[in-house]
């Protein structure tokens, strides 16, 4: 156990007398040290994490005045100016404070100045002003000259991005390590926080700690200043990851304690996540999924506490199965994005109830290698965001052709995804799925449709989706029999989950625990307990895949098709959300006319609207358009529930739809949503 003389350490460790060292600038207070040289300390109001084992840089140098001081925060200030003046330093520090939530004034006790100019000159007055505001140590890069005698010159070039670091001295060298600010996951959306300890293997480590003094997970986020000059498209983006995706070094739980207990830590990071990392993104932790990506209701979760939705009264559903990812993006300003998957609804409905942006992309847009499957040919991965432009930016860089899935997996033609402004001409308005239950929400939808129509000159076509498909005269009724296609979906979604997860879990559990069946939630229990491999054959799977492909071919010729002017001739709209009513995490509260269960099937339709793109491989995006009031059965006052609309285009037209969404945002029809109780 460390004992850091100059820092104020927990009384139990090193004695309460250390408190005497507190000065006007807040001093770091060590809260705990743990395995792997992790150090958690408090500075001012914030709590930080550092792993000192694999520092980012090391220089031969000591802080001569205070040889006993073993660690302290140091801020690297980076400039390209050749004249480093007091004004320049003050402006830079103000800029840093404005853009970063990790850096704080309490980290200015020691600073290091680096310059990208070939020669820099540091004015003596600048040093005097720093020291009068409490900076005790100034280290300057070797390229910078100064007449001041109060600064030390680094013996070697400090090749580190700007921002706060933890300097730790040992012998005659000082190492600089990444500082993460810890946030408390107080909506219980994460399983745990994680970070990459910089050991050169690309492995992640799970943060063992809860947030100090709390029951919630602690999520580490790095300083935004580290990416200030990083030109990669995702530089510094903080991204949460649904715990179906493998991150090297971490176990993928799939939301199951039983599964978690039989698997090893992943030995590779999923290619879809690797793409995020290579573009500069930072994976900050694993979010809670419904077990094995099921559509379980909040009250059916057994293994983990159901995540909390920040909207409305705080007792609203996060839906399933990317629940934790969606509600985290709705809850936390410090989180930029979260990744999820969608098979039957699992990006789109969580986005709807959280009042944020989230998409089911065209089938096959991104590799799902090293991701626990539900259906190989129906699973997709999407990203949740609060801002329409940031959302489009992420998707366009993430869905790179090299990560498209092969036809062997999707059973469909290879993707060719254009990025142009060949927008739809028609708004398809399915009367078997609309209007919404709550007329106030329907009014918002009507505004949206009229805005969409007038902005792009689109005509609105009311139609009945179910009978249009089922009445269509085609030689083989199979491709338009929605009941039959739903049955094929069942086959497609049953075999992969069993082959990859179920069979292994059931047989391993039986072997380990005297023939017992594993404790899993009701959604999969009966199906896996009676799974019949002679019915769910690969042959049956192939038959269903072909039926799906035929249906997609029909859809793309007859319902949503390309023309010379449009990637997708139409955009279809519907509501995957609650129709403007609250849906509570407590089952009984959903009884009665003023609340609703999720996934209530329209009596006029054969298929849930959410199933349309699962069968027909189309792109289906949830976008928030407003909010409506409801009288909460929890807080007993009026609260707001988000209203969203779903936009559906033909497979491959994702980027065209993103371009349209960005134009809607520019026109003020769509806007960024806030975190917290209300989205707007
Ligand atoms: C630091 O000092 C050690 C020995 O004193 C030397 O081997 C090493 O090269 C020095 N490192 C740098 C970066 O100057
Ligand atoms: C220094 O950086 C600023 C801000 O990034 C930029 O506007 C300016 O052109 C740069 N100056 C030089 C000399 O590179
Ligand atoms: C990772 O584990 C899998 C299955 O356990 C194995 O097939 C694969 O070779 C391993 N990959 C590496 C890079 O070790
Ligand atoms: C959207 O439509 C509503 C109602 O027709 C109208 O009042 C509003 O100005 C429109 N907004 C934009 C940005 O076109
Ligand atoms: C579909 O067929 C049914 C039954 O024949 C008929 O009532 C309905 O009007 C038809 N719908 C369409 C859109 O043609
Ligand atoms: C549609 O498929 C279902 C289930 O496979 C079948 O029972 C029904 O007869 C089919 N309907 C038509 C019109 O072919
Ligand atoms: C299923 O389809 C795949 C891909 O076309 C093929 O490789 C495999 O042999 C088929 N299996 C069966 C049992 O039909
Ligand atoms: C679409 O473009 C192709 C190639 O330019 C042309 O041959 C065809 O006539 C066009 N179709 C229509 C409906 O304009
Ligand atoms: C539903 O809400 C309406 C309007 O607020 C109210 O008049 C009615 O009593 C409510 N019904 C129930 C069963 O709570």
């Amino acid at each position: 156990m460390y004992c850091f003389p100059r820092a104020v350490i927990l009384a139990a460790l090193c004695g309460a007398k250390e408190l005497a060292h507190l000065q006007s600038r807040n001093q770091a207070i060590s809260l705990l040290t743990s395995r792997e040289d992790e150090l958690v300390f408090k500075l001012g109001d914030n709590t930080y994490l550092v792993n000192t084992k694999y520092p980012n840089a090391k220089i031969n140098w000591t802080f001569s005045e205070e040889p006993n001081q073993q660690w302290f925060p140091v801020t690297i200030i980076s400039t390209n100016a050749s004249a480093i003046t007091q004004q320049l330093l003050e402006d830079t520090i103000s800029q840093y404070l404005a853009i970063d939530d990790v850096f704080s004034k309490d980290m200015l006790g020691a600073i290091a100045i680096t310059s990208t100019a070939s020669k820099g000159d540091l004015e003596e007055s600048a040093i005097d002003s720093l020291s009068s505001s409490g900076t005790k140590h100034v280290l300057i890069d070797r390229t910078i000259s100064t007449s001041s005698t109060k600064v030390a010159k680094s013996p070697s070039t400090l090749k580190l991005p700007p921002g706060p670091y933890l300097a730790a001295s040992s012998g005659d060298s000082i190492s600089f390590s990444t500082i993460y600010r810890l946030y408390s996951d107080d909506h219980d959306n994460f399983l745990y926080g994680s970070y990459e300890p910089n050991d050169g293997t690309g492995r992640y480590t799970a943060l063992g700690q809860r947030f100090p003094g709390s029951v919630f997970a602690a999520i580490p986020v790095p300083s935004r200043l580290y990416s200030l000059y990083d030109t990669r498209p995702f530089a510094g983006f903080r991204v949460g990851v649904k715990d179906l995706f493998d991150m090297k070094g971490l176990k993928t739980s799939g939301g199951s304690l039983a599964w978690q207990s039989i698997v090893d830590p992943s030995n590779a990071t999923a290619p879809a996540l690797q793409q995020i990392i290579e573009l500069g993104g930072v994976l900050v932790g694993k979010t809670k999924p419904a077990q094995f990506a099921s559509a379980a209701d909040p009250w059916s979760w057994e293994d983990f506490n159901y995540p909390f939705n920040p909207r409305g009264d705080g007792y609203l559903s996060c839906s399933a199965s990317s629940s934790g990812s969606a509600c985290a993006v709705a809850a936390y300003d410090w989180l930029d994005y979260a990744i999820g998957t969608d098979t039957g609804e699992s990006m789109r409905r969580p986005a709807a109830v959280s009042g944020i942006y989230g998409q089911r992309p065209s089938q096959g847009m991104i590799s799902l290698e090293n991701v626990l499957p539900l259906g190989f040919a129906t699973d997709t991965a999407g990203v949740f965001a609060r801002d329409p432009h940031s959302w489009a930016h992420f998707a366009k860089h993430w869905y790179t052709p090299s990560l498209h899935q092969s036809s062997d997996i999707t059973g469909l033609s290879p993707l060719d995804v254009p990025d142009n402004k060949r927008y739809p001409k028609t708004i398809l308005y399915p009367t078997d799925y609309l209007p919404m239950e709550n007329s106030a929400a329907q009014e918002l939808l009507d505004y949206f449709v009229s805005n969409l129509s007038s902005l792009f000159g689109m005509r609105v076509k009311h139609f009945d989706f179910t009978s249009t498909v089922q009445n269509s005269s085609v030689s083989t009724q199979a491709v338009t029999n929605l009941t039959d296609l739903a049955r094929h979906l069942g086959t497609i979604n049953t075999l992969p989950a069993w082959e990859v997860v179920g069979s292994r879990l059931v047989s391993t559990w039986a072997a380990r625990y005297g023939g017992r069946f594993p404790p899993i939630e009701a959604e999969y229990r009966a199906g896996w307990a009676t799974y019949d491999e002679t019915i769910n054959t690969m042959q049956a799977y192939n038959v269903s895949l072909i039926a799906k492909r035929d249906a997609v071919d029909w859809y793309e010729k007859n319902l949503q098709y390309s023309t010379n002017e449009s990637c997708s001739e139409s955009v279809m709209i519907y509501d995957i959300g609650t129709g403007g009513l609250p849906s509570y995490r407590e089952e009984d509260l959903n009884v009665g006319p003023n609340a609703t269960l999720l996934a209530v099937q329209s009596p006029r339709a054969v298929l849930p609207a959410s199933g349309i793109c699962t069968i027909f491989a189309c792109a289906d995006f949830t976008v928030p358009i407003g909010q409506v009031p409801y009288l909460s059965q929890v807080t007993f006052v009026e609260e707001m529930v988000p209203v969203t609309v779903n936009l559906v285009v033909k497979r491959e037209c994702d980027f065209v739809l993103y371009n349209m969404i960005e134009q809607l945002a520019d026109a003020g029809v769509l806007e960024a949503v806030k975190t917290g109780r209300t989205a707007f």
Side-chain angles (χ1 to χ4, degrees):
M1 175 100 36
Y2 298 154
C3 198
F4 301 103
R6 267 299 318 286
V8 181
I9 315 230
L10 278 185
L13 301 183
C14 295
K17 66 178 171 17
E18 301 293 343
L19 287 165
H21 290 289
L22 272 177
Q23 292 168 1
S24 62
R25 185 183 302 288
N26 287 310
Q27 297 288 304
I29 302 175
S30 172
L31 296 175
L32 54 98
T33 60
S34 72
R35 74 210 200 298
E36 307 223 15
D37 301 270
E38 269 174 9
L39 167 69
V40 175
F41 63 95
K42 200 163 164 59
L43 186 54
D45 292 334
N46 302 339
T47 305
Y48 298 93
L49 167 82
V50 175
N51 183 322
T52 52
K53 193 166 184 183
Y54 306 102
N56 306 55
K58 208 166 188 167
I59 55 170
N60 285 344
W61 191 56
T62 55
F63 280 88
S64 53
E65 282 173 45
E66 301 190 50
N68 292 330
Q69 194 168 349
Q70 290 188 357
W71 62 262
F72 48 91
V74 52
T75 295
I76 296 188
I77 293 176
S78 175
T79 175
N80 63 2
S82 44
I84 303 168
T85 61
Q86 177 183 342
Q87 191 64 45
L88 181 89
L89 290 180
E90 283 170 6
D91 290 349
T92 308
I93 289 167
S94 305
Q95 183 209 0
Y96 286 5
L97 288 168
I99 60 178
D100 189 28
D101 54 343
V102 178
F103 171 60
S104 85
K105 281 186 170 163
D106 292 326
M107 293 170 168
L108 288 168
I111 67 168
I113 302 172
T114 68
S115 172
T116 52
S118 55
K119 257 183 156 52
D121 184 61
L122 177 61
E123 286 182 5
E124 200 165 349
S125 61
I127 302 299
D128 292 342
S129 117
L130 280 174
S131 62
S132 69
S133 58
T135 299
K136 299 180 79 176
H137 306 284
V138 179
L139 176 66
I140 57 173
D141 214 348
R142 52 191 305 179
T143 55
I144 299 173
S145 57
T146 184
S147 54
S148 172
T149 54
K150 294 178 198 152
V151 304
K153 206 158 189 166
S154 171
S156 49
T157 306
L158 260 182
K159 288 203 190 74
L160 286 176
Y165 294 84
L166 191 89
S169 68
S170 78
D172 54 3
S173 73
I174 300 225
S175 64
F176 292 79
S177 301
T178 302
I179 290 186
Y180 297 90
R181 178 166 172 187
L182 291 181
Y183 278 102
S184 171
D185 172 31
D186 50 19
H187 286 78
D188 222 354
N189 297 146
F190 283 82
L191 289 169
Y192 50 80
S194 63
Y195 67 96
E196 206 246 274
N198 196 37
D199 66 359
T201 67
R203 120 193 123 84
Y204 283 79
T205 185
L207 209 57
Q209 295 89 13
R210 306 272 93 189
F211 190 81
S214 124
V215 299
F216 300 115
I219 311 300
V221 304
S223 167
R224 295 198 185 276
L225 301 175
Y226 298 155
S227 46
L228 200 53
Y229 300 111
D230 185 340
T231 54
R232 291 175 297 168
F234 292 3
F237 289 175
R238 301 159 178 177
V239 183
V241 176
K242 181 181 188 178
D243 196 19
L244 292 185
F245 290 80
D246 285 351
M247 282 167 65
K248 186 174 178 175
L250 304 179
K251 286 187 174 189
T252 303
S253 76
S256 161
L257 290 170
W259 177 254
Q260 190 176 43
S261 78
I262 69 155
V263 295
D264 292 326
S266 308
N267 62 3
T269 294
L273 297 182
Q274 199 57 44
Q275 165 76 352
I276 296 171
I277 298 164
E278 276 157 26
L279 295 176
V282 184
L283 310 182
V284 301
K286 289 285 192 86
T287 60
K288 291 180 178 175
Q291 194 170 90
F292 306 126
S294 78
D297 287 311
W299 46 89
S300 302
W301 283 43
E302 304 289 355
D303 287 9
F304 297 104
N305 192 29
Y306 187 75
F308 287 92
N309 188 337
R311 305 306 190 196
D313 52 42
Y315 258 30
L316 296 181
S317 174
C318 291
S319 182
S321 67
S322 308
S323 338
S325 281
C327 278
V329 167
Y332 305 133
D333 277 320
W334 46 263
L335 185 69
D336 300 316
Y337 298 96
I339 299 304
T341 59
D342 188 305
T343 305
E345 60 168 47
S346 296
M347 283 293 304
R348 294 164 289 161
R349 187 164 281 133
V353 297
S354 304
I356 56 172
Y357 294 84
Q359 83 280 26
R360 175 189 176 86
S362 293
Q363 196 69 53
M365 283 291 269
I366 197 157
S367 161
L368 291 165
E369 258 178 81
N370 291 84
V371 182
L372 292 184
L374 185 47
F376 296 135
T378 44
D379 292 344
T380 61
V383 61
F384 295 107
R386 292 181 296 272
D387 175 86
H389 292 294
S390 325
W391 186 46
H393 171 86
F394 193 105
K396 284 193 178 181
H397 286 91
W398 191 34
Y399 294 134
T400 182
S402 64
L403 289 177
H404 286 172
Q405 290 179 299
S406 84
S407 297
D408 293 346
I409 295 172
T410 61
L412 303 173
S413 57
L415 285 168
D416 177 12
V417 183
D419 185 353
N420 60 41
K421 296 194 171 177
R422 294 188 179 162
Y423 297 147
K425 306 286 186 201
T426 305
I427 298 170
L428 288 181
Y429 187 101
T431 49
D432 42 346
Y433 294 110
L434 289 169
M436 293 194 204
E437 198 61 36
N438 178 341
S439 59
Q442 179 62 30
E443 198 172 316
L444 294 175
L445 181 72
D446 291 341
Y447 277 161
F448 177 79
V449 170
S450 87
N451 290 158
L452 185 62
S453 164
S454 64
L455 196 59
F456 300 108
M458 295 176 188
R459 73 183 177 116
V460 182
K461 183 181 167 190
H462 288 244
F463 83 126
D464 185 285
F465 179 86
T466 307
S467 56
T468 301
V469 174
Q470 303 219 116
N471 289 11
S472 113
S473 55
V474 283
S475 52
T476 140
Q477 283 294 324
V479 304
T480 56
N481 182 337
L482 294 171
T483 311
D484 206 35
L485 288 170
R487 186 179 59 80
H488 284 302
L489 270 196
T491 306
I492 291 172
N493 291 347
T494 300
L495 182 132
W498 170 259
E499 297 267 302
V500 178
V501 185
S503 65
R504 182 173 161 200
L505 176 57
V506 170
S507 62
T508 307
W509 205 266
R512 279 195 196 172
Y513 302 111
R516 287 175 170 81
F517 187 77
I520 58 173
E521 290 169 7
E523 293 276 320
Y524 278 94
R525 191 182 302 128
W528 284 356
T530 60
Y531 194 88
D532 188 342
E533 291 187 348
T534 65
I535 294 173
N536 297 294
T537 59
M538 200 57 211
Q539 208 164 3
Y541 182 86
N542 282 359
V543 166
S544 291
L545 215 52
I546 290 164
K548 185 174 188 299
R549 176 168 186 149
D550 290 344
V552 171
D553 287 347
W554 173 85
Y555 190 87
E556 295 183 354
K557 276 200 191 77
N558 296 283
L559 219 144
Q560 291 201 286
Y561 45 85
S562 293
T563 67
N564 284 0
E565 289 79 36
S566 303
C567 180
S568 176
E569 189 278 330
S570 65
V571 54
M572 182 164 64
I573 60 162
Y574 75 99
D575 171 42
I576 204 174
T578 59
L581 296 174
S583 185
Y584 295 96
R585 58 187 285 137
E586 184 178 328
E587 187 172 15
D588 292 349
L589 295 182
N590 295 316
V591 176
N594 293 336
T596 182
L597 289 168
L598 292 174
V600 179
Q601 164 93 35
S602 161
R604 304 186 299 283
V606 170
L607 204 65
S610 56
I612 294 173
C613 287
T614 309
I615 291 180
F616 297 110
C618 32
D620 183 352
F621 295 7
T622 301
V623 306
I625 54 172
Q627 59 193 5
V628 290
Y630 70 99
L631 178 63
S632 169
Q633 298 307 302
V634 176
T635 60
F636 304 116
V637 300
E638 187 177 283
E639 305 280 7
M640 290 290 180
V641 62
V643 178
T644 57
V645 62
N646 279 74
L647 304 174
V648 178
V649 291
K650 181 189 151 284
R651 183 173 186 245
E652 300 188 325
C653 301
D654 304 62
F655 292 174
V656 177
L657 182 53
Y658 272 119
N659 292 338
M660 201 177 94
I661 283 167
E662 290 204 82
Q663 232 169 295
L664 285 166
D666 290 340
V669 176
L670 297 176
E671 54 186 290
V673 294
K674 298 186 298 185
T675 56
R677 195 181 289 281
T678 59
F680 294 92

